[in-house]
Amino acid sequence: MSASRSITDVLVIGAGVAGLACAQDLCAAGLGVRVLEASDAVGGRMRSDRHDGFLVDRGFQVFNTSYPQVRRRLELRDLWLRPFTPGVLIHTARGRLRFTDPSRRPRTLPDLLPGRLAGPRDLLALGALSARDMLAPVRMVKHAEDRTTRTALAAAGFSEDFVETFFRPFLSGVFLEDELETSSRVFHLIWRSMLRGTLCLPGAGIQAVPRALAATLPDGAVSLETPVVALGDGGAVTAAGTEIPARAVVVATGPGPAAELLPGIDVPAYRVVTTYYHVAPGSPLGEPTLLVDTARRFLDTVVLSDVVPGHAPAGAALVATSVLGTDGEGRQGAVREALAEVYGTDTAGWDLLTVRTVPDALPVMTPPQPLSRTSRVTAGRYVCGDHRATGSVQGALASGARAAREVLRDLGR
Ligand SMILES: Cc1cc2nc3c(=O)[nH]c(=O)nc-3n(C[C@H](O)[C@H](O)[C@H](O)COP(=O)(O)OP(=O)(O)OC[C@H]3O[C@@H](n4cnc5c(N)ncnc54)[C@H](O)[C@@H]3O)c2cc1C
């Protein structure tokens, strides 16, 4: 085993958004930081690839402009964000319905009226819930009683029909589970962030977000293709056998590798999601809107090139469709069939460009769900990532920020 010469103040293992946020705060405090990343680029679960002229994220995800950590760390202008329409289309047995946030597009209010999507009781409940989640101090939302989202929605006065037609299909794509069993605190925080911000995609793919974070670090701070295989007494050991000494080590690797590097920490179970990327000869929708399905044959589908034209070359459209779980047998045919029905077009000729399965997509967040946990493990060892907070970009960034605060405090800074 060889040893690296200089002593780094802090080693951050993993260049996902949690590790990058942690490194950003430690560097800002004047510490010497090295980020060791196993793969060939930063981003972790927020990576994008080019495929035959198409831009494909490693699993479909959206970017929310209202996350406090996002606003604190990123210059949104530099991300060339392209918005979704504020709402969703819902494929139901009685045809396609539209839910549009009436606070942003008052002219669309009739879409929510009785006989269409919601009855008077649901409209009232929606107004009350949205006003409270949007305007109440965030600590009230964070400290409210925690129960399942299904229980909270029933308690808020929504009819079973509205829950099944709107909330369940829509939130299944947000929580990556379709039983509404996720913590109501998490639901209220997400609902708040949706009301306050805009759902969008960066023009250069979701990886633009971690790239922008990494760009704020000093040159040479991130070492790619440097997997860490063990933690030593005072640092970390890479797969090449180099021991890198450091005063503190922050493990920001995602749940599985974190449990290996730090035996004894508890990590939650994770949701698995698969995204199918199809190429169509033209947009089957013609608008940048998420489409969900009350039959729950998929979580959501979107014509990505309607949101960001650069996702597909001229003359083609790129459609992303996510399902729970893996790409099991018969799944591709079933998805293609469902897409033919919901888009009302023949999908037999659509090419399947690629399939992305993410085994550790989002932590299971059933109640009681702590919204943030300490990063301290043992003296000099810390852990951060979405599994220590909430499964979201906000959660991962906030967890990185907390780890940095705790390291600084322990190092007497
Ligand atoms: C399909 C999908 C959809 C999502 N949708 C949304 C959404 O719409 N909105 C939202 O807010 N969030 C969404 N998320 C969640 C969000 O992307 C994650 O919460 C966040 O990216 C997690 O970041 P992280 O830094 O905690 O972990 P990761 O991104 O997993 O980063 C861990 C890093 O550590 C590296 N690493 C692992 N082992 C080692 C090792 N031994 N040595 C060195 N490096 C190592 C990995 O290569 C990786 O780069 C989605 C996630 C997925 C996958």
Side-chain angles (χ1 to χ4, degrees), residues 12-20 36-47 58-64 67 173-174 176 199 206 223 226-230 252-258 260-261 270-271 273-275 322 356 358-363 384-387 390-397 399:
V12 177
I13 305 172
V17 288
L20 293 170
L36 307 179
E37 166 56 44
S39 70
D40 60 356
V42 300
R45 275 168 271 168
M46 301 179 77
R47 295 277 306 265
R58 295 190 185 176
F60 168 68
Q61 64 177 289
V62 297
F63 182 73
N64 188 320
Y67 285 150
V174 177
L176 306 186
L199 293 187
I206 203 73
S223 304
T226 310
V228 166
V229 291
T253 55
E260 280 170 28
L261 291 171
Y270 262 69
R271 310 281 185 193
V273 69
T274 297
T275 305
S322 295
R356 291 289 183 186
V358 186
D360 292 338
L362 279 190
C384 68
D386 65 350
H387 60 104
T390 55
S392 66
V393 173
Q394 164 66 22
L397 293 170
S399 165

Side-chain angles (χ1 to χ4, degrees), residues 343-381:
Y343 285 118
T345 189
D346 184 4
T347 58
W350 287 13
D351 282 335
L352 181 60
L353 181 70
T354 185
V355 182
R356 291 289 183 186
T357 296
V358 186
D360 292 338
L362 279 190
V364 171
M365 295 182 282
T366 44
Q369 168 67 25
L371 298 175
S372 173
R373 294 160 72 196
T374 178
S375 70
R376 293 185 177 100
V377 182
T378 54
R381 291 183 181 177

Side-chain angles (χ1 to χ4, degrees), residues 218-301:
D219 284 349
V222 181
S223 304
L224 300 175
E225 298 179 320
T226 310
V228 166
V229 291
L231 303 188
D233 281 342
V237 182
T238 68
T242 308
E243 191 173 2
I244 306 177
R247 296 168 68 202
V249 179
V250 180
V251 175
T253 55
E260 280 170 28
L261 291 171
L262 296 166
I265 63 159
D266 58 319
V267 291
Y270 262 69
R271 310 281 185 193
V272 184
V273 69
T274 297
T275 305
Y276 297 95
Y277 290 92
H278 286 99
V279 178
S283 172
L285 191 62
E287 57 173 284
T289 308
L290 272 176
L291 214 161
V292 300
D293 179 31
T294 50
R296 289 179 280 111
R297 292 165 293 183
F298 52 80
L299 295 171
D300 44 42
T301 181

